[in-house]
Amino acid sequence: QVQLVESGGGLVQPGGSLRLSCVGSGSRFSPYAAMGWYRQAPGKQRELVATTTRGATISYTDAVKGRFTVSRDTAKNTMYLQMNNLKPEDTAVYYCKSNSWGVDYWGQGTQVTVSS
């Protein structure tokens, strides 16, 4: 069993910064598992933001390269998404995902709104 809880979302002005956190727990959760951040904007499909494996960033979607950074604190079972120079098009619900024993687990999401 895996539980993922996202936090850190909120309202920010364009050009601002925000840091999201995803805390994992449960008998089948590993802080070294492949994890990722996804987002879903209103009326759009859920899209990949970034993926990591054992704390190492694998890839970022082109829309966030140079602005977003993923990191992990394995001692705290936490994955972070540092978001800088936010744009209105970054507005979405952001979801954390972890894969354990070949099964994907999702958090409930945290809302990020970028607006003046």
Side-chain angles (χ1 to χ4, degrees):
Q1 187 177 358
V2 172
Q3 296 84 42
L4 302 171
V5 179
E6 303 98 334
S7 63
L11 175 64
V12 64
Q13 294 185 349
S17 297
L18 217 54
R19 189 179 76 160
L20 307 184
S21 299
C22 171
V23 179
S25 63
S27 61
R28 303 188 77 86
F29 176 77
S30 170
Y32 301 103
M35 300 184 70
W37 285 101
Y38 293 73
R39 67 185 182 184
Q40 187 165 21
K44 297 185 179 295
Q45 291 184 294
R46 186 173 298 185
E47 66 173 344
L48 174 68
V49 176
T51 59
T52 68
T53 301
R54 295 180 176 269
T57 299
I58 301 300
S59 63
Y60 295 94
T61 189
D62 287 343
V64 308
K65 286 181 179 177
R67 300 188 298 119
F68 290 11
T69 303
V70 171
S71 62
R72 288 209 223 180
D73 186 337
T74 56
K76 297 181 179 180
N77 293 336
T78 302
M79 177 178 65
Y80 302 96
L81 181 65
Q82 179 67 46
M83 305 183 294
N84 298 324
N85 192 23
L86 284 160
K87 304 175 179 180
E89 49 264 46
D90 295 319
T91 295
V93 177
Y94 284 71
Y95 297 91
C96 173
K97 188 189 79 173
S98 177
N99 185 277
S100 182
W101 298 94
V103 178
D104 288 339
Y105 297 88
W106 295 87
Q108 292 299 306
T110 184
Q111 176 70 50
V112 172
T113 302
V114 185
S115 179
S116 298

